[in-house]
Amino acid sequence: MQKKPQNEILEKIVSLAKRRGFVFQSSEIYGGLNGCWDYGPLGVELLKNIKEEWWKAMTFREDVEGLDASILMHPRVWEASGHVDSFTDPMIDCKSCKARFRLDVLGELINEKKKHKAVEELKLKFTDNPGWKDKFETVIQNAEKINGAVDEFSAAIEDSELNAILLSEVNCPQCGNKNTFTPARQFNLMFKTFIGPVEDSGAVVYLRPETAQGIFVNFLNVQSSARQKLPFGIAQIGKAFRNEINTKNFLFRTREFEQMEMQYFVNPVKDKEWYDYWKSERLNWFISLGMTKNKLRYHDHPVNKLAHYAKEATDIEYHFPFGWGEIEGIHNRTNFDLSRHEEFSGKSLKYFDEELKEKYIPYIIETSAGASRSFMAFLIDAYYEEEVNNEMRSVLKFHPKLAPIKAAILPLVNKDGMPEIARSIEKELRKRFKVFYDDKGAIGRRYRRMDEAGTPFSITVDTQTLSDQTVTIRERDSMNQIRISIDKISAYLNDIIFSD
RNA sequence: GCGGGAAUAGCUCAGCUGGUAGAGCGCAACCUUGCCAAGGUUGAUGUCGCGGGUUCGAGUCCCGUUUCCCGCUCCA
């Protein structure tokens, strides 16, 4: 992969996104906010259409119910889910070789002698800093309580004050240099905030790092109120927040993003069957909306790399200009989540299976798509530069269902009553479609403007319209035109856009 | 978080060794029009990313900072 073309493509997309009103940088007039983006007039339509198609595909069926859970949830939810523990690993970097280490595993990379020596160095400093001695003893006691074994180094290195001395005494496991570590930094990937005006620890809540937990905790509410039997699913679209260490690649890694998740509850013995079903179903969804087939692939997670909750996992990846990137994950989450919520809430989340006459905690097959990532993939995938009559044409070949604007209405020239007819067509079409009226400049220029916005149809009122009430409809990708009578436009568009 | 590059009009970019900002495209108005961005006339727009410093004078030199891109790292 060469660097330059990649840059060019992504930068072209970013520039087009801004120029045409798909995506703007957040708080741009203040210099921007790292990794945050706003959706402009065309962007919000595209995003909304993606979500709408997803919603139809996932919930317009008997066995899936919708849900919109609150972003703020009880803090215990995130203890049960494992996010509180696993989102808070302190990290350090070696300034010399740029290696990064999790503080809690650094001890494993250093030999015992060195660790012992570092601890002794620390103890020597106690005379100057009496407070450290108390701290040290407390840390050791806590470590003893938790796992019995006392590795003084590993216990002390978790303390934000004591570890500074330890880190200055040990060499980097990778490059061997001494005194090259940055101070330990806490990477808490959950955004923390407070309920109510008092900012004390009892009031801490988190912005959800995934929408899934809102589904899990509502499992029985939805199941009983909708009178569902297993297998069935719960679908939800919503924002999630992760305080990522660094953002990257335009919309790909951002701190605020939107998920389209569906959690499917199944009998544990049927998990494989349903996992395979959703795996294929979800890939086909992207293809059905026009995404290039050979730019999509599965990336199956090897068993040893699976997340703590997963039994089987695959990513649907899109080939972005910067490489393959995940746009959706399909996971077999087993009964991990519901079991944990049972444990932490003390409420039973078991399901009574009428057929089998037994009670069990369902397994969950998760399909978790990134709305923002899908947006970016659909946008990039639709972008083409073509040569037409020795001129460059840039065009967004969105599937008509996703196109922000469905049709443009254009009077060929601004006279002879053409604008009036065009306006009346516009008024009629607006009842059903997002349309756009444009009478500025030459007709060719207007077509090209619509190409760049991804509008699939351009309806032109011309001289012939005046005598026989027909218009031309120009199709974006082929640039072919057909002639159709005015009263048939609406049905024609509807058939093409919403047919399967 | 580290390293590298970049930031000048809506977009793409020019602006030399410091001397009070330019082009093309786009945009707006009017005229013209007869189906694929190239007709005419007129017009608007920038505290040159932000903050300091050096200087008589900074888009230009120095320091800091923010944002974007690339590479590491991270991605529970």
PDB file of all heavy atoms in Angstrom, chain B residues 14-25:
ATOM      1  P     A B  14       0.981  25.297  -2.498  1.00  0.00           P
ATOM      2  OP1   A B  14       2.195  24.534  -2.849  1.00  0.00           O
ATOM      3  OP2   A B  14       0.609  25.463  -1.094  1.00  0.00           O
ATOM      4  O5'   A B  14       1.063  26.737  -3.175  1.00  0.00           O
ATOM      5  C5'   A B  14       1.505  26.842  -4.522  1.00  0.00           C
ATOM      6  C4'   A B  14       1.530  28.264  -4.990  1.00  0.00           C
ATOM      7  O4'   A B  14       0.233  28.899  -4.867  1.00  0.00           O
ATOM      8  C3'   A B  14       2.424  29.246  -4.244  1.00  0.00           C
ATOM      9  O3'   A B  14       3.796  29.050  -4.496  1.00  0.00           O
ATOM     10  C2'   A B  14       1.929  30.561  -4.831  1.00  0.00           C
ATOM     11  O2'   A B  14       2.413  30.756  -6.144  1.00  0.00           O
ATOM     12  C1'   A B  14       0.422  30.293  -4.886  1.00  0.00           C
ATOM     13  N9    A B  14      -0.245  30.911  -3.732  1.00  0.00           N
ATOM     14  C8    A B  14      -0.804  30.316  -2.629  1.00  0.00           C
ATOM     15  N7    A B  14      -1.315  31.176  -1.762  1.00  0.00           N
ATOM     16  C5    A B  14      -1.068  32.413  -2.334  1.00  0.00           C
ATOM     17  C6    A B  14      -1.351  33.737  -1.928  1.00  0.00           C
ATOM     18  N6    A B  14      -1.970  34.029  -0.795  1.00  0.00           N
ATOM     19  N1    A B  14      -0.972  34.744  -2.743  1.00  0.00           N
ATOM     20  C2    A B  14      -0.343  34.450  -3.881  1.00  0.00           C
ATOM     21  N3    A B  14      -0.016  33.252  -4.375  1.00  0.00           N
ATOM     22  C4    A B  14      -0.410  32.270  -3.546  1.00  0.00           C
ATOM     23  P     G B  15       4.871  29.284  -3.337  1.00  0.00           P
ATOM     24  OP1   G B  15       6.205  29.196  -3.950  1.00  0.00           O
ATOM     25  OP2   G B  15       4.515  28.413  -2.195  1.00  0.00           O
ATOM     26  O5'   G B  15       4.592  30.792  -2.904  1.00  0.00           O
ATOM     27  C5'   G B  15       5.087  31.868  -3.688  1.00  0.00           C
ATOM     28  C4'   G B  15       4.613  33.169  -3.115  1.00  0.00           C
ATOM     29  O4'   G B  15       3.168  33.157  -2.992  1.00  0.00           O
ATOM     30  C3'   G B  15       5.082  33.483  -1.698  1.00  0.00           C
ATOM     31  O3'   G B  15       6.422  33.947  -1.641  1.00  0.00           O
ATOM     32  C2'   G B  15       4.067  34.535  -1.277  1.00  0.00           C
ATOM     33  O2'   G B  15       4.329  35.784  -1.873  1.00  0.00           O
ATOM     34  C1'   G B  15       2.791  33.936  -1.870  1.00  0.00           C
ATOM     35  N9    G B  15       2.149  33.076  -0.862  1.00  0.00           N
ATOM     36  C8    G B  15       2.192  31.708  -0.793  1.00  0.00           C
ATOM     37  N7    G B  15       1.541  31.231   0.238  1.00  0.00           N
ATOM     38  C5    G B  15       1.056  32.358   0.892  1.00  0.00           C
ATOM     39  C6    G B  15       0.282  32.478   2.076  1.00  0.00           C
ATOM     40  O6    G B  15      -0.133  31.583   2.817  1.00  0.00           O
ATOM     41  N1    G B  15       0.010  33.804   2.378  1.00  0.00           N
ATOM     42  C2    G B  15       0.415  34.883   1.646  1.00  0.00           C
ATOM     43  N2    G B  15       0.052  36.075   2.103  1.00  0.00           N
ATOM     44  N3    G B  15       1.129  34.786   0.539  1.00  0.00           N
ATOM     45  C4    G B  15       1.418  33.500   0.225  1.00  0.00           C
ATOM     46  P     C B  16       7.174  33.811  -0.271  1.00  0.00           P
ATOM     47  OP1   C B  16       6.622  32.614   0.357  1.00  0.00           O
ATOM     48  OP2   C B  16       7.098  35.120   0.423  1.00  0.00           O
ATOM     49  O5'   C B  16       8.689  33.540  -0.638  1.00  0.00           O
ATOM     50  C5'   C B  16       9.157  32.217  -0.868  1.00  0.00           C
ATOM     51  C4'   C B  16      10.561  32.273  -1.397  1.00  0.00           C
ATOM     52  O4'   C B  16      10.525  32.725  -2.785  1.00  0.00           O
ATOM     53  C3'   C B  16      11.477  33.239  -0.662  1.00  0.00           C
ATOM     54  O3'   C B  16      12.782  32.689  -0.563  1.00  0.00           O
ATOM     55  C2'   C B  16      11.479  34.493  -1.510  1.00  0.00           C
ATOM     56  O2'   C B  16      12.727  35.194  -1.475  1.00  0.00           O
ATOM     57  C1'   C B  16      11.234  33.934  -2.915  1.00  0.00           C
ATOM     58  N1    C B  16      10.378  34.837  -3.704  1.00  0.00           N
ATOM     59  C2    C B  16      10.947  35.568  -4.757  1.00  0.00           C
ATOM     60  O2    C B  16      12.154  35.428  -4.988  1.00  0.00           O
ATOM     61  N3    C B  16      10.166  36.394  -5.470  1.00  0.00           N
ATOM     62  C4    C B  16       8.854  36.515  -5.184  1.00  0.00           C
ATOM     63  N4    C B  16       8.121  37.329  -5.913  1.00  0.00           N
ATOM     64  C5    C B  16       8.254  35.776  -4.117  1.00  0.00           C
ATOM     65  C6    C B  16       9.039  34.963  -3.416  1.00  0.00           C
ATOM     66  P     U B  17      13.266  32.145   0.763  1.00  0.00           P
ATOM     67  OP1   U B  17      14.602  31.551   0.554  1.00  0.00           O
ATOM     68  OP2   U B  17      12.164  31.302   1.298  1.00  0.00           O
ATOM     69  O5'   U B  17      13.387  33.422   1.679  1.00  0.00           O
ATOM     70  C5'   U B  17      14.166  33.352   2.871  1.00  0.00           C
ATOM     71  C4'   U B  17      15.203  34.431   2.874  1.00  0.00           C
ATOM     72  O4'   U B  17      15.694  34.667   1.537  1.00  0.00           O
ATOM     73  C3'   U B  17      14.718  35.824   3.290  1.00  0.00           C
ATOM     74  O3'   U B  17      14.534  35.929   4.683  1.00  0.00           O
ATOM     75  C2'   U B  17      15.827  36.718   2.759  1.00  0.00           C
ATOM     76  O2'   U B  17      16.940  36.701   3.594  1.00  0.00           O
ATOM     77  C1'   U B  17      16.175  36.005   1.441  1.00  0.00           C
ATOM     78  N1    U B  17      15.517  36.689   0.313  1.00  0.00           N
ATOM     79  C2    U B  17      16.308  37.516  -0.464  1.00  0.00           C
ATOM     80  O2    U B  17      17.495  37.679  -0.246  1.00  0.00           O
ATOM     81  N3    U B  17      15.662  38.149  -1.499  1.00  0.00           N
ATOM     82  C4    U B  17      14.327  38.040  -1.824  1.00  0.00           C
ATOM     83  O4    U B  17      13.899  38.683  -2.783  1.00  0.00           O
ATOM     84  C5    U B  17      13.562  37.170  -0.979  1.00  0.00           C
ATOM     85  C6    U B  17      14.178  36.538   0.033  1.00  0.00           C
ATOM     86  P     G B  18      13.624  37.023   5.311  1.00  0.00           P
ATOM     87  OP1   G B  18      14.318  38.344   5.195  1.00  0.00           O
ATOM     88  OP2   G B  18      13.178  36.501   6.595  1.00  0.00           O
ATOM     89  O5'   G B  18      12.366  36.923   4.356  1.00  0.00           O
ATOM     90  C5'   G B  18      11.812  38.088   3.801  1.00  0.00           C
ATOM     91  C4'   G B  18      10.575  38.483   4.590  1.00  0.00           C
ATOM     92  O4'   G B  18      10.878  38.454   6.002  1.00  0.00           O
ATOM     93  C3'   G B  18      10.110  39.875   4.254  1.00  0.00           C
ATOM     94  O3'   G B  18       8.743  39.826   3.917  1.00  0.00           O
ATOM     95  C2'   G B  18      10.339  40.679   5.539  1.00  0.00           C
ATOM     96  O2'   G B  18       9.282  41.557   5.809  1.00  0.00           O
ATOM     97  C1'   G B  18      10.360  39.590   6.619  1.00  0.00           C
ATOM     98  N9    G B  18      11.193  39.944   7.769  1.00  0.00           N
ATOM     99  C8    G B  18      12.543  39.798   7.901  1.00  0.00           C
ATOM    100  N7    G B  18      12.993  40.187   9.063  1.00  0.00           N
ATOM    101  C5    G B  18      11.856  40.624   9.735  1.00  0.00           C
ATOM    102  C6    G B  18      11.714  41.172  11.039  1.00  0.00           C
ATOM    103  O6    G B  18      12.591  41.361  11.884  1.00  0.00           O
ATOM    104  N1    G B  18      10.403  41.489  11.312  1.00  0.00           N
ATOM    105  C2    G B  18       9.352  41.303  10.458  1.00  0.00           C
ATOM    106  N2    G B  18       8.157  41.674  10.908  1.00  0.00           N
ATOM    107  N3    G B  18       9.457  40.786   9.246  1.00  0.00           N
ATOM    108  C4    G B  18      10.747  40.478   8.951  1.00  0.00           C
ATOM    109  P     G B  19       8.249  40.632   2.587  1.00  0.00           P
ATOM    110  OP1   G B  19       7.065  39.899   2.100  1.00  0.00           O
ATOM    111  OP2   G B  19       9.402  40.872   1.707  1.00  0.00           O
ATOM    112  O5'   G B  19       7.767  42.033   3.166  1.00  0.00           O
ATOM    113  C5'   G B  19       6.523  42.165   3.843  1.00  0.00           C
ATOM    114  C4'   G B  19       6.086  43.611   3.863  1.00  0.00           C
ATOM    115  O4'   G B  19       7.063  44.378   4.612  1.00  0.00           O
ATOM    116  C3'   G B  19       5.966  44.286   2.502  1.00  0.00           C
ATOM    117  O3'   G B  19       4.938  45.252   2.595  1.00  0.00           O
ATOM    118  C2'   G B  19       7.315  44.980   2.342  1.00  0.00           C
ATOM    119  O2'   G B  19       7.252  46.129   1.532  1.00  0.00           O
ATOM    120  C1'   G B  19       7.620  45.399   3.782  1.00  0.00           C
ATOM    121  N9    G B  19       9.042  45.487   4.107  1.00  0.00           N
ATOM    122  C8    G B  19      10.116  44.933   3.471  1.00  0.00           C
ATOM    123  N7    G B  19      11.250  45.177   4.078  1.00  0.00           N
ATOM    124  C5    G B  19      10.900  45.948   5.176  1.00  0.00           C
ATOM    125  C6    G B  19      11.708  46.526   6.200  1.00  0.00           C
ATOM    126  O6    G B  19      12.926  46.444   6.350  1.00  0.00           O
ATOM    127  N1    G B  19      10.937  47.223   7.104  1.00  0.00           N
ATOM    128  C2    G B  19       9.575  47.369   7.051  1.00  0.00           C
ATOM    129  N2    G B  19       9.016  48.073   8.015  1.00  0.00           N
ATOM    130  N3    G B  19       8.805  46.834   6.107  1.00  0.00           N
ATOM    131  C4    G B  19       9.536  46.152   5.210  1.00  0.00           C
ATOM    132  P     U B  20       3.651  45.181   1.676  1.00  0.00           P
ATOM    133  OP1   U B  20       3.585  43.856   1.031  1.00  0.00           O
ATOM    134  OP2   U B  20       3.698  46.407   0.874  1.00  0.00           O
ATOM    135  O5'   U B  20       2.447  45.309   2.719  1.00  0.00           O
ATOM    136  C5'   U B  20       2.298  44.340   3.761  1.00  0.00           C
ATOM    137  C4'   U B  20       1.075  44.660   4.565  1.00  0.00           C
ATOM    138  O4'   U B  20       1.162  45.991   5.142  1.00  0.00           O
ATOM    139  C3'   U B  20      -0.239  44.696   3.795  1.00  0.00           C
ATOM    140  O3'   U B  20      -0.742  43.411   3.490  1.00  0.00           O
ATOM    141  C2'   U B  20      -1.130  45.443   4.784  1.00  0.00           C
ATOM    142  O2'   U B  20      -1.510  44.624   5.851  1.00  0.00           O
ATOM    143  C1'   U B  20      -0.159  46.516   5.285  1.00  0.00           C
ATOM    144  N1    U B  20      -0.260  47.773   4.525  1.00  0.00           N
ATOM    145  C2    U B  20      -1.510  48.381   4.440  1.00  0.00           C
ATOM    146  O2    U B  20      -2.533  47.918   4.947  1.00  0.00           O
ATOM    147  N3    U B  20      -1.541  49.530   3.715  1.00  0.00           N
ATOM    148  C4    U B  20      -0.499  50.144   3.081  1.00  0.00           C
ATOM    149  O4    U B  20      -0.690  51.187   2.469  1.00  0.00           O
ATOM    150  C5    U B  20       0.767  49.467   3.213  1.00  0.00           C
ATOM    151  C6    U B  20       0.828  48.343   3.922  1.00  0.00           C
ATOM    152  P     A B  21      -2.232  43.194   2.960  1.00  0.00           P
ATOM    153  OP1   A B  21      -3.053  44.358   3.296  1.00  0.00           O
ATOM    154  OP2   A B  21      -2.733  41.867   3.308  1.00  0.00           O
ATOM    155  O5'   A B  21      -1.848  43.245   1.460  1.00  0.00           O
ATOM    156  C5'   A B  21      -2.670  42.812   0.418  1.00  0.00           C
ATOM    157  C4'   A B  21      -2.377  41.374   0.045  1.00  0.00           C
ATOM    158  O4'   A B  21      -2.438  40.540   1.198  1.00  0.00           O
ATOM    159  C3'   A B  21      -3.420  40.812  -0.891  1.00  0.00           C
ATOM    160  O3'   A B  21      -2.967  41.026  -2.205  1.00  0.00           O
ATOM    161  C2'   A B  21      -3.464  39.335  -0.564  1.00  0.00           C
ATOM    162  O2'   A B  21      -2.645  38.594  -1.442  1.00  0.00           O
ATOM    163  C1'   A B  21      -2.847  39.264   0.839  1.00  0.00           C
ATOM    164  N9    A B  21      -3.722  38.753   1.900  1.00  0.00           N
ATOM    165  C8    A B  21      -4.420  39.473   2.825  1.00  0.00           C
ATOM    166  N7    A B  21      -5.061  38.743   3.701  1.00  0.00           N
ATOM    167  C5    A B  21      -4.763  37.448   3.331  1.00  0.00           C
ATOM    168  C6    A B  21      -5.128  36.207   3.856  1.00  0.00           C
ATOM    169  N6    A B  21      -5.893  36.072   4.935  1.00  0.00           N
ATOM    170  N1    A B  21      -4.668  35.100   3.228  1.00  0.00           N
ATOM    171  C2    A B  21      -3.894  35.246   2.158  1.00  0.00           C
ATOM    172  N3    A B  21      -3.463  36.360   1.582  1.00  0.00           N
ATOM    173  C4    A B  21      -3.944  37.427   2.219  1.00  0.00           C
ATOM    174  P     G B  22      -3.937  41.753  -3.191  1.00  0.00           P
ATOM    175  OP1   G B  22      -3.296  43.001  -3.628  1.00  0.00           O
ATOM    176  OP2   G B  22      -5.306  41.799  -2.626  1.00  0.00           O
ATOM    177  O5'   G B  22      -3.880  40.779  -4.422  1.00  0.00           O
ATOM    178  C5'   G B  22      -4.814  39.786  -4.613  1.00  0.00           C
ATOM    179  C4'   G B  22      -4.149  38.653  -5.328  1.00  0.00           C
ATOM    180  O4'   G B  22      -3.386  37.867  -4.386  1.00  0.00           O
ATOM    181  C3'   G B  22      -5.116  37.667  -5.949  1.00  0.00           C
ATOM    182  O3'   G B  22      -5.576  38.136  -7.200  1.00  0.00           O
ATOM    183  C2'   G B  22      -4.274  36.423  -6.043  1.00  0.00           C
ATOM    184  O2'   G B  22      -3.390  36.485  -7.132  1.00  0.00           O
ATOM    185  C1'   G B  22      -3.465  36.500  -4.733  1.00  0.00           C
ATOM    186  N9    G B  22      -4.115  35.772  -3.635  1.00  0.00           N
ATOM    187  C8    G B  22      -4.795  36.283  -2.567  1.00  0.00           C
ATOM    188  N7    G B  22      -5.252  35.359  -1.762  1.00  0.00           N
ATOM    189  C5    G B  22      -4.851  34.162  -2.351  1.00  0.00           C
ATOM    190  C6    G B  22      -5.054  32.826  -1.952  1.00  0.00           C
ATOM    191  O6    G B  22      -5.637  32.401  -0.954  1.00  0.00           O
ATOM    192  N1    G B  22      -4.490  31.932  -2.852  1.00  0.00           N
ATOM    193  C2    G B  22      -3.814  32.284  -3.997  1.00  0.00           C
ATOM    194  N2    G B  22      -3.349  31.301  -4.745  1.00  0.00           N
ATOM    195  N3    G B  22      -3.621  33.524  -4.382  1.00  0.00           N
ATOM    196  C4    G B  22      -4.152  34.404  -3.514  1.00  0.00           C
ATOM    197  P     A B  23      -6.994  37.648  -7.731  1.00  0.00           P
ATOM    198  OP1   A B  23      -7.427  38.574  -8.805  1.00  0.00           O
ATOM    199  OP2   A B  23      -7.855  37.392  -6.570  1.00  0.00           O
ATOM    200  O5'   A B  23      -6.606  36.254  -8.399  1.00  0.00           O
ATOM    201  C5'   A B  23      -5.617  36.195  -9.427  1.00  0.00           C
ATOM    202  C4'   A B  23      -5.376  34.763  -9.802  1.00  0.00           C
ATOM    203  O4'   A B  23      -4.759  34.064  -8.685  1.00  0.00           O
ATOM    204  C3'   A B  23      -6.634  33.959 -10.090  1.00  0.00           C
ATOM    205  O3'   A B  23      -7.076  34.159 -11.420  1.00  0.00           O
ATOM    206  C2'   A B  23      -6.147  32.533  -9.841  1.00  0.00           C
ATOM    207  O2'   A B  23      -5.392  32.050 -10.934  1.00  0.00           O
ATOM    208  C1'   A B  23      -5.221  32.733  -8.639  1.00  0.00           C
ATOM    209  N9    A B  23      -5.892  32.512  -7.349  1.00  0.00           N
ATOM    210  C8    A B  23      -6.392  33.466  -6.493  1.00  0.00           C
ATOM    211  N7    A B  23      -6.916  32.975  -5.392  1.00  0.00           N
ATOM    212  C5    A B  23      -6.743  31.601  -5.540  1.00  0.00           C
ATOM    213  C6    A B  23      -7.084  30.517  -4.708  1.00  0.00           C
ATOM    214  N6    A B  23      -7.681  30.653  -3.529  1.00  0.00           N
ATOM    215  N1    A B  23      -6.781  29.270  -5.150  1.00  0.00           N
ATOM    216  C2    A B  23      -6.173  29.139  -6.328  1.00  0.00           C
ATOM    217  N3    A B  23      -5.804  30.083  -7.192  1.00  0.00           N
ATOM    218  C4    A B  23      -6.116  31.306  -6.733  1.00  0.00           C
ATOM    219  P     G B  24      -8.620  34.010 -11.762  1.00  0.00           P
ATOM    220  OP1   G B  24      -8.803  34.501 -13.149  1.00  0.00           O
ATOM    221  OP2   G B  24      -9.410  34.605 -10.666  1.00  0.00           O
ATOM    222  O5'   G B  24      -8.834  32.446 -11.745  1.00  0.00           O
ATOM    223  C5'   G B  24      -8.219  31.608 -12.731  1.00  0.00           C
ATOM    224  C4'   G B  24      -8.431  30.162 -12.378  1.00  0.00           C
ATOM    225  O4'   G B  24      -7.750  29.868 -11.125  1.00  0.00           O
ATOM    226  C3'   G B  24      -9.881  29.781 -12.102  1.00  0.00           C
ATOM    227  O3'   G B  24     -10.599  29.521 -13.284  1.00  0.00           O
ATOM    228  C2'   G B  24      -9.709  28.538 -11.234  1.00  0.00           C
ATOM    229  O2'   G B  24      -9.373  27.403 -12.006  1.00  0.00           O
ATOM    230  C1'   G B  24      -8.507  28.937 -10.370  1.00  0.00           C
ATOM    231  N9    G B  24      -8.940  29.581  -9.115  1.00  0.00           N
ATOM    232  C8    G B  24      -9.040  30.925  -8.856  1.00  0.00           C
ATOM    233  N7    G B  24      -9.469  31.183  -7.649  1.00  0.00           N
ATOM    234  C5    G B  24      -9.663  29.934  -7.081  1.00  0.00           C
ATOM    235  C6    G B  24     -10.114  29.580  -5.792  1.00  0.00           C
ATOM    236  O6    G B  24     -10.442  30.319  -4.856  1.00  0.00           O
ATOM    237  N1    G B  24     -10.166  28.191  -5.634  1.00  0.00           N
ATOM    238  C2    G B  24      -9.827  27.282  -6.592  1.00  0.00           C
ATOM    239  N2    G B  24      -9.956  26.000  -6.253  1.00  0.00           N
ATOM    240  N3    G B  24      -9.403  27.598  -7.799  1.00  0.00           N
ATOM    241  C4    G B  24      -9.340  28.933  -7.971  1.00  0.00           C
ATOM    242  P     C B  25     -12.140  29.903 -13.368  1.00  0.00           P
ATOM    243  OP1   C B  25     -12.575  29.652 -14.763  1.00  0.00           O
ATOM    244  OP2   C B  25     -12.296  31.249 -12.781  1.00  0.00           O
ATOM    245  O5'   C B  25     -12.831  28.841 -12.403  1.00  0.00           O
ATOM    246  C5'   C B  25     -12.881  27.463 -12.751  1.00  0.00           C
ATOM    247  C4'   C B  25     -13.211  26.626 -11.543  1.00  0.00           C
ATOM    248  O4'   C B  25     -12.264  26.910 -10.480  1.00  0.00           O
ATOM    249  C3'   C B  25     -14.557  26.888 -10.892  1.00  0.00           C
ATOM    250  O3'   C B  25     -15.636  26.279 -11.580  1.00  0.00           O
ATOM    251  C2'   C B  25     -14.331  26.272  -9.517  1.00  0.00           C
ATOM    252  O2'   C B  25     -14.367  24.862  -9.563  1.00  0.00           O
ATOM    253  C1'   C B  25     -12.905  26.731  -9.220  1.00  0.00           C
ATOM    254  N1    C B  25     -12.915  28.015  -8.476  1.00  0.00           N
ATOM    255  C2    C B  25     -13.197  27.971  -7.112  1.00  0.00           C
ATOM    256  O2    C B  25     -13.404  26.880  -6.572  1.00  0.00           O
ATOM    257  N3    C B  25     -13.249  29.133  -6.409  1.00  0.00           N
ATOM    258  C4    C B  25     -13.031  30.294  -7.025  1.00  0.00           C
ATOM    259  N4    C B  25     -13.092  31.397  -6.292  1.00  0.00           N
ATOM    260  C5    C B  25     -12.740  30.361  -8.417  1.00  0.00           C
ATOM    261  C6    C B  25     -12.698  29.212  -9.110  1.00  0.00           C
TER     262        C B  25
END
